[in-house]
Amino acid sequence: MAELIAISLSAKVAAALLRTGRTTAVFLASFISVRSGIAAAARDLDLLRAFLRFADSRRGTDELVDAWVNQVRHVGFELEDVTDEYTFLSGVGFVRACADVAARFALLRRLRKARERLRALSAVKEQLGIRPAEASASSSAPAAAAICRNISEAAHFVLEGEIVGFAEHTRLLMKWLTGDANPRRIIVAVCGMGGVGKTTLATNLYKKIAANCNFDCTAWVTVSKNFTTEDLMRRIIKELHRDVRDSALGDTQEMDYRSLVEALRGHLAHKRYFLLLDDVWNADAWFQLRGALLDSETGSRIVITTRNQEVAALASYSRTIMLQPLREHEAWSLFCNTTFREDANQECPYHLQNWAFKILERCCGLPLAIISVGNLLLLKEKTEFAWKNVHDSLVWDERDDHGIGQVVSVLNFSIDDLPYRLKRCFLYCSVYPEDFFIKRKILIREWIAEGLIEETGHGTMEEVADGYLNELVQRNLLLVKLKNEFGRAKRLHIHDLIREIAAYRSKQDGFFQLSKSARVDSKQKIRYLTLYQCQSDRQSAPNMPSLRSFYVLRSDLDVALFSRFRLLTVLNLWYVKASKLPSAVTNLRNLRYLGVRSTYIEELPKELGRLRNLQTLDAKWSSIKVLPSSITKLKNLRHLILFTRGTTDFMEPEPGTAVSLPDGLENLKCLQTLKYVQADQKVVRSLESLEQMRSLELSGVDQRILINLPSALSKMSCLLRLGITNSDANVTLDLEPFSPAPVKLKTLNLTGKLARGKLPSWFGSLTNLIHLHLRSSELGEDSIVLLSSLPRLLHLSLINACNERSLTFAAGCFPVLRQLNLQGLPNLTSIEFQKDSLADLRLLTLGLCLELTEIPQSIENLIHLENVELFQMPSKLIEKIPYGKGYGANHQDGQRTTVVKNFFWHNARLLEQKIYINLSNVQESFKTDAVTLPVGSVNSSKFHKWL
């Protein structure tokens, strides 16, 4: 973490000097001295990076080193403050600059003091034994690696009866490893976050197979992060000869790489072997090892456990298990088995259950955490007072005893393994409160605003940040909750325990604090602050000039107080009831991200154009109806998202309306995103200047606008997403003369009646189209045929878009379509899926098709169909899906099981019912193989997609 200070400051200084380089020539000599002093201090700090990296490796083990790092961190923060203050003062005109002479001299004094402290700290590092990380790498193996190895070894001695929640996974793995007759060597992967039980599951399986199954030889080895290929092969050889007293291979310590490969190949030749590679961090481990592991087509099997989805990709998708945290009843069972292992019934006494549930909730379903907490409680008195003390003092800290520190070490290992470019991006995510779903695009824009993303010359910063986010997903640090039409993450969250550990580290390092009280210690050098569900007045609100990112969630605050944080770069308000954003906010001249999404704010300040560094203005689902004319001065603006809420209910903002733009849109030449704006002739003409546009959503479109729109779109060489909504239901959209066709589009949303009830003839040229959403189009079946040949179309939604009574999907149509959504088709009475149609369909959604009372014909031809979602469909259709006898009653491997989800309203509540059916023989499955789950209520906000 300490190294990040030097790296981020170097990047920030470079950006600051670049932005202000042209103006400083007219400023006073004191300001020029500040500029050169900042650059020199950044170079000094950069020289300490190797020492900081070494200090990070000793984090928590040496108090002197920790104290030195803390002091360097404070100097780094001070230098960052000076840099941001320099940028702030540079953003004013010449007259104001001359008036700020005193501020500039004060800045120079702060800079000199910071440089003196930095030089003193650099001089003392040798006395503390702090040396470059490269020189000491061989002598300081991380303690976490040793802990992980010990946990792996201990898994051999866990009794099968002590393992909870893995029965189905064990059965499936056993089938893949011993029941598959394929003679080729097969790799199976078990993937999941640290502490989720990968090693326990795989090792238990290994013991069974090694003892009872027909393999000629078996081996179990822990790979870990810091491995050498030679050592790994030596340990495999040792495992292969564990039961042999006199090994024919001799002393492997004297063997070089070539000899080890030859020895392994010779031993495994023509044998059926089973190898378990535990805790693989990098795919290179396999690439360096596979040459020694022959595939003699004898049915050999290899299991890999890993935290990284990229490593898991070494196995086929159909041979990969993604382990999730335990479900509530499984977690409770493991907790009781551990905490009350000495009791005959292993049950929690009634008087302790309240605190037991609260303590268990803190473990977030993670087996390693549950076992560690259970072992701790085993040593405590069985009283409410003792257990309350455990709950209140439970801090996930590496220095804790009784196994708690072990849990944190294992999870911290995943964070410590991150390269610097990812580590601060991940720790920034702790600004989000527990159980908060993070939107990918918002997170990416905040990272950019905070200066956490560096331009590489290979794509935009948004594309670089998207790559970072994907890496964090692959490492199971960010978990995907929902994917978009391109298969990328749309909504994400962090496992609560990981988030808690990340937040703790961020707070300790002075980066972040989440508070439910506005009374925050203003002396702390906190960079990111989140106020969550709190109230304050003007006196209690924090005054923290060091703050860079301020998140306010569901809090009742006087928004005028935000102007106290003069160096803010990110200001994000969610579910805030204030109606006006004060003009004082426009004094935040370093502000790059302003979010008022899902608020009651109706008005933005007229002086908004003073925020010259603003990159993102997100006002979706706000109450803003008019934008100030000064917005056209925001020449660095990259993303402008506008949509006015239709109700005062935070959870039900729809239906909403688009927002009108002032004249001068053509000045915003950096715009990449422009969403949900009212179109007129001036707006369309201005669009011709916005050549960086990637995502565009226009409302109020009529035929006059369509005449000029193609010319504007042709200038947007990067445009990937386009949305067009007609001005009212009586307006017909004639797209036939639309030329040139937007052939690069990947997403297209069209709302409105199409001329002649047909798609334009050029539609077949949209060969890059992935997602198509049509609403109120009044299409005929011939247009559906035109769509069916699009080679890359993955998602198709037809909402009140077709008047046909029947839809027939012919053989070969929609070859790669994965999701089909048919809703509000008033005349539809029958659907037929012919053989070889929709060959890759995974999700079929039917909603509000009130005349469709028959199950689609030949639905069994959809050989990959996994889910069917029904929303307010006729009861006659639902009744033809029979009810089974309970979950799992007829659910067997090898059957093509499809999950049918039926959503319906009852007593003003949206309910969900699941039915499991077998489509391989659809008629028989409706008689015998349907399995029904109990009805459950659903949060209706989840179903905006239906509206």
Side-chain angles (χ1 to χ4, degrees):
M1 189 66 187
E3 187 188 3
L4 296 177
I5 304 165
I7 296 167
S8 62
L9 182 60
S10 298
K12 179 168 285 191
V13 167
L17 299 186
L18 180 64
R19 281 196 300 268
T20 61
R22 292 179 296 175
T23 60
T24 52
V26 298
F27 287 164
L28 299 174
S30 61
F31 205 35
I32 298 174
S33 299
V34 173
R35 185 173 187 267
S36 59
I38 290 173
R43 289 193 297 269
D44 294 341
L45 195 57
D46 201 44
L47 292 174
L48 288 176
R49 279 174 58 181
F51 299 95
L52 289 169
R53 192 179 305 122
F54 166 77
D56 259 349
S57 71
R58 297 265 296 275
R59 177 176 51 84
T61 63
D62 190 318
E63 292 184 3
L64 280 176
V65 172
D66 286 348
W68 181 81
V69 170
N70 284 334
Q71 293 185 48
V72 173
R73 181 184 299 114
H74 290 153
V75 175
F77 283 167
E78 179 68 6
L79 289 170
E80 188 176 43
D81 285 348
V82 172
T83 303
D84 287 340
E85 190 75 26
Y86 169 83
T87 303
F88 182 87
L89 293 174
S90 302
V92 300
F94 176 71
V95 175
R96 178 66 182 274
C98 294
D100 284 339
V101 173
R104 301 180 194 286
F105 275 109
L107 203 62
L108 186 58
R109 287 193 296 271
R110 288 174 62 187
L111 176 61
R112 286 172 178 166
K113 288 183 179 179
R115 292 195 65 193
E116 288 172 2
R117 287 181 61 197
L118 188 60
R119 284 193 290 267
L121 288 168
S122 180
V124 80
K125 65 181 183 295
E126 298 296 338
Q127 301 173 25
L128 299 177
I130 299 172
R131 54 195 181 278
E134 290 76 12
S136 59
S138 60
S139 61
S140 58
I147 291 174
C148 290
R149 285 195 298 270
N150 291 340
I151 291 175
S152 295
E153 295 288 346
H156 284 276
F157 309 106
V158 176
L159 300 178
E160 186 171 3
E162 299 174 348
I163 300 174
V164 174
F166 294 153
E168 288 299 311
H169 296 312
T170 300
R171 183 179 54 79
L172 189 57
L173 284 170
M174 188 66 78
K175 175 185 173 183
W176 291 346
L177 295 171
T178 64
D180 190 339
N182 189 337
R184 297 297 306 273
R185 181 189 64 199
I186 292 176
I187 298 177
V188 173
V190 179
C191 185
M193 63 180 290
V196 80
K198 302 180 297 295
T199 298
T200 300
L201 168 63
T203 303
N204 179 62
L205 187 78
Y206 172 83
K207 291 191 296 182
K208 289 182 179 179
I209 291 177
N212 303 314
C213 297
N214 188 25
F215 284 93
D216 299 319
C217 53
T218 62
W220 178 102
V221 292
T222 299
V223 178
S224 196
K225 179 184 173 183
N226 301 310
F227 75 95
T228 65
T229 307
E230 290 83 355
D231 177 64
L232 187 56
M233 287 192 289
R234 290 187 183 102
R235 287 190 285 123
I236 292 175
I237 292 172
K238 181 179 179 181
E239 278 286 310
L240 289 171
H241 294 80
R242 176 174 288 274
D243 298 326
V244 180
R245 291 185 178 179
D246 298 319
S247 173
L249 293 174
D251 186 3
T252 58
Q253 294 300 323
E254 302 299 323
M255 294 184 179
D256 57 15
Y257 173 82
R258 180 177 173 183
S259 300
L260 289 166
V261 171
E262 290 174 347
L264 262 179
R265 289 171 66 93
H267 183 77
L268 298 177
H270 309 297
K271 289 182 180 177
R272 184 174 186 242
Y273 59 86
F274 174 47
L275 174 62
L276 194 157
L277 300 174
D278 184 50
D279 197 24
V280 180
W281 285 75
N282 194 298
D284 286 344
W286 169 250
F287 295 140
Q288 295 174 31
L289 191 61
R290 64 180 175 183
L293 303 176
L294 286 174
D295 182 6
S296 303
E297 298 194 10
T298 54
S300 296
R301 301 290 182 261
I302 297 173
V303 173
I304 292 174
T305 73
T306 181
R307 306 182 188 199
N308 195 320
Q309 293 180 32
E310 287 186 347
V311 176
L314 293 168
S316 70
Y317 180 78
S318 62
R319 291 293 182 269
T320 300
I321 284 181
M322 295 296 300
L323 276 190
Q324 303 297 333
L326 297 178
R327 291 171 290 188
E328 287 185 12
H329 70 278
E330 295 169 339
W332 179 252
S333 177
L334 180 60
F335 175 82
C336 291
N337 291 352
T338 304
T339 310
F340 305 101
R341 68 167 66 100
E342 303 302 327
D343 298 354
N345 56 10
Q346 294 188 342
E347 292 182 0
C348 180
Y350 178 79
H351 71 282
L352 294 177
Q353 287 185 6
N354 178 47
W355 288 110
F357 284 125
K358 290 182 178 181
I359 293 170
L360 185 59
E361 187 178 9
R362 296 286 305 279
C363 298
C364 310
L366 210 61
L368 182 61
I370 295 170
I371 292 170
S372 298
V373 170
N375 288 334
L376 174 61
L377 290 171
L378 186 65
L379 306 177
K380 303 296 181 180
E381 294 181 6
K382 300 300 187 287
T383 65
E384 292 183 67
F385 178 78
W387 283 38
K388 178 183 183 298
N389 284 341
V390 170
H391 173 271
D392 294 345
S393 62
L394 185 57
V395 177
W396 298 106
D397 187 349
E398 280 182 300
R399 291 165 290 191
D400 272 343
D401 297 326
H402 305 303
I404 301 299
Q406 176 177 277
V407 176
V408 182
S409 294
V410 170
L411 298 179
N412 265 330
F413 205 16
S414 294
I415 300 175
D416 290 334
D417 183 55
L418 294 172
Y420 79 89
R421 58 188 173 82
L422 296 180
K423 189 175 293 183
R424 193 168 181 183
C425 287
F426 174 69
L427 292 178
Y428 178 87
C429 296
S430 56
V431 302
Y432 296 101
E434 188 175 338
D435 296 325
F436 190 87
F437 291 149
I438 307 166
K439 188 171 182 180
R440 176 180 61 91
K441 291 181 180 178
I442 290 177
L443 180 60
I444 283 173
R445 291 162 189 164
E446 288 175 348
W447 282 350
I448 293 171
E450 281 296 333
L452 305 181
I453 307 299
E454 300 176 19
E455 293 195 61
T456 63
H458 304 287
T460 65
M461 285 194 290
E462 285 80 3
E463 291 168 337
V464 174
D466 201 29
Y468 288 4
L469 187 145
N470 186 58
E471 285 191 62
L472 292 172
V473 169
Q474 294 295 326
R475 292 169 178 262
N476 281 297
L477 288 171
L478 290 181
L479 307 176
V480 177
K481 185 68 177 177
L482 180 68
K483 292 185 178 182
N484 64 11
E485 60 267 27
F486 306 116
R488 297 202 304 257
K490 184 174 182 178
R491 295 279 195 279
L492 305 113
H493 68 107
I494 308 175
H495 185 275
D496 288 344
L497 192 49
I498 288 282
R499 196 208 68 81
E500 188 172 340
I501 291 171
Y504 179 79
R505 287 184 60 165
S506 294
K507 184 177 179 180
Q508 291 296 106
D509 291 339
F511 277 93
F512 164 75
Q513 182 172 347
L514 184 145
S515 176
K516 290 194 176 182
S517 170
R519 295 185 180 274
V520 181
D521 184 359
S522 299
K523 296 180 180 179
Q524 297 185 63
K525 287 276 189 176
I526 296 174
R527 268 13 193 186
Y528 312 139
L529 174 65
T530 297
L531 295 184
Y532 182 50
Q533 293 180 337
C534 71
Q535 296 182 351
S536 75
D537 52 29
R538 186 176 296 271
Q539 285 71 38
S540 66
N543 182 17
M544 306 177 70
S546 65
L547 206 61
R548 296 300 185 273
S549 179
F550 190 27
Y551 238 94
V552 183
L553 293 157
R554 299 185 186 278
S555 298
D556 183 14
L557 294 177
D558 179 359
V559 293
L561 298 171
F562 302 156
S563 58
R564 291 185 180 183
F565 314 135
R566 64 198 306 260
L567 300 182
L568 272 185
T569 54
V570 173
L571 174 58
N572 213 334
L573 314 179
W574 283 64
Y575 306 120
V576 173
K577 296 181 179 180
S579 61
K580 183 178 180 180
L581 198 65
S583 59
V585 170
T586 63
N587 293 325
L588 307 176
R589 292 195 290 268
N590 287 3
L591 198 66
R592 299 186 186 92
Y593 187 105
L594 176 58
V596 293
R597 176 181 286 241
S598 296
T599 66
Y600 290 156
I601 290 176
E602 300 174 354
E603 185 179 346
L604 295 174
K606 294 179 181 179
E607 305 87 354
L608 190 70
R610 294 168 60 181
L611 301 176
R612 300 298 178 89
N613 291 311
L614 196 65
Q615 299 172 347
T616 297
L617 174 57
D618 186 349
K620 188 175 181 180
W621 302 125
S622 71
S623 298
I624 294 171
K625 298 178 180 178
V626 179
L627 292 175
S629 59
S630 64
I631 194 173
T632 58
K633 297 179 181 179
L634 303 177
K635 296 186 178 181
N636 287 308
L637 197 64
R638 301 162 75 95
H639 309 285
L640 179 57
I641 303 102
L642 307 163
F643 205 54
T644 303
R645 62 171 45 253
T647 71
T648 57
D649 184 349
F650 275 140
M651 301 310 297
E652 297 287 350
E654 299 189 274
T657 57
V659 179
S660 298
L661 295 175
D663 295 345
L665 178 64
E666 64 275 7
N667 296 326
L668 307 181
K669 297 185 185 299
C670 291
L671 266 187
Q672 299 179 16
T673 305
L674 180 61
K675 284 191 172 183
Y676 316 117
V677 298
Q678 285 288 345
D680 57 33
Q681 295 287 7
K682 290 183 179 179
V683 167
V684 172
R685 284 194 293 270
S686 298
L687 289 176
E688 295 192 12
S689 301
L690 309 183
E691 298 180 0
Q692 300 300 315
M693 191 67 68
R694 284 164 167 75
S695 182
L696 177 64
E697 295 271 356
L698 298 175
S699 294
V701 175
D702 56 27
Q703 200 57 42
R704 294 175 304 163
I705 292 174
L706 281 177
I707 294 174
N708 297 320
L709 188 57
S711 175
L713 298 183
S714 67
K715 307 283 179 59
M716 301 175 183
S717 59
C718 302
L719 189 67
L720 299 176
R721 179 189 178 101
L722 175 64
I724 296 175
T725 300
N726 62 353
S727 53
D728 61 64
N730 297 319
V731 172
T732 299
L733 301 177
D734 188 356
L735 299 177
E736 190 61 46
F738 208 92
S739 179
V743 294
K744 293 184 179 181
L745 286 181
K746 292 187 175 181
T747 296
L748 177 59
N749 298 326
L750 293 176
T751 299
K753 183 168 58 176
L754 296 181
R756 298 171 292 280
K758 297 177 60 176
L759 291 169
S761 58
W762 49 261
F763 220 82
S765 66
L766 302 182
T767 54
N768 292 304
L769 199 63
I770 293 175
H771 181 96
L772 177 61
H773 182 101
L774 300 174
R775 181 188 289 266
S776 305
S777 307
E778 298 188 5
L779 295 178
E781 191 168 8
D782 55 344
S783 289
I784 307 298
V785 174
L786 177 61
L787 293 176
S788 69
S789 61
L790 293 177
R792 297 184 181 178
L793 190 64
L794 298 178
H795 301 257
L796 174 62
S797 290
L798 301 177
I799 315 296
N800 190 25
C802 179
N803 292 324
E804 298 293 318
R805 293 185 59 83
S806 65
L807 288 177
T808 300
F809 294 88
C813 73
F814 295 104
V816 298
L817 195 72
R818 296 177 71 90
Q819 294 187 15
L820 175 62
N821 184 7
L822 304 175
Q823 293 189 53
L825 306 183
N827 301 323
L828 188 65
T829 60
S830 68
I831 303 175
E832 180 182 359
F833 299 108
Q834 295 183 357
K835 190 175 182 180
D836 297 327
S837 66
L838 298 150
D840 204 28
L841 191 71
R842 307 303 170 101
L843 171 62
L844 172 63
T845 300
L846 301 173
L848 293 168
C849 299
L850 302 182
E851 298 298 319
L852 185 62
T853 59
E854 299 290 334
I855 293 168
Q857 298 178 43
S858 305
I859 193 172
E860 68 273 14
N861 288 329
L862 303 180
I863 59 175
H864 290 118
L865 189 63
E866 297 172 352
N867 293 281
V868 177
E869 293 184 351
L870 307 175
F871 181 73
Q872 286 195 277
M873 291 296 289
S875 58
K876 289 184 179 180
L877 184 145
I878 303 301
E879 289 168 359
K880 291 173 181 174
I881 304 176
Y883 297 125
K885 297 180 180 180
Y887 176 69
N890 296 292
H891 176 48
Q892 301 175 3
D893 283 335
Q895 292 184 343
R896 286 177 43 217
T897 303
T898 300
V899 181
V900 179
K901 297 180 182 180
N902 178 31
F903 300 100
F904 57 95
W905 291 97
H906 181 69
N907 293 336
R909 296 174 65 200
L910 186 64
L911 303 181
E912 174 186 357
Q913 192 169 37
K914 289 183 182 180
I915 305 170
Y916 292 79
I917 62 174
N918 175 15
L919 291 182
S920 60
N921 187 339
V922 68
Q923 298 302 324
E924 289 300 318
S925 71
F926 288 147
K927 293 177 183 178
T928 62
D929 286 337
V931 179
T932 304
L933 284 183
V935 174
S937 62
V938 179
N939 187 340
S940 62
S941 64
K942 175 181 177 182
F943 293 94
H944 286 158
K945 64 180 181 180
W946 302 107
L947 303 177

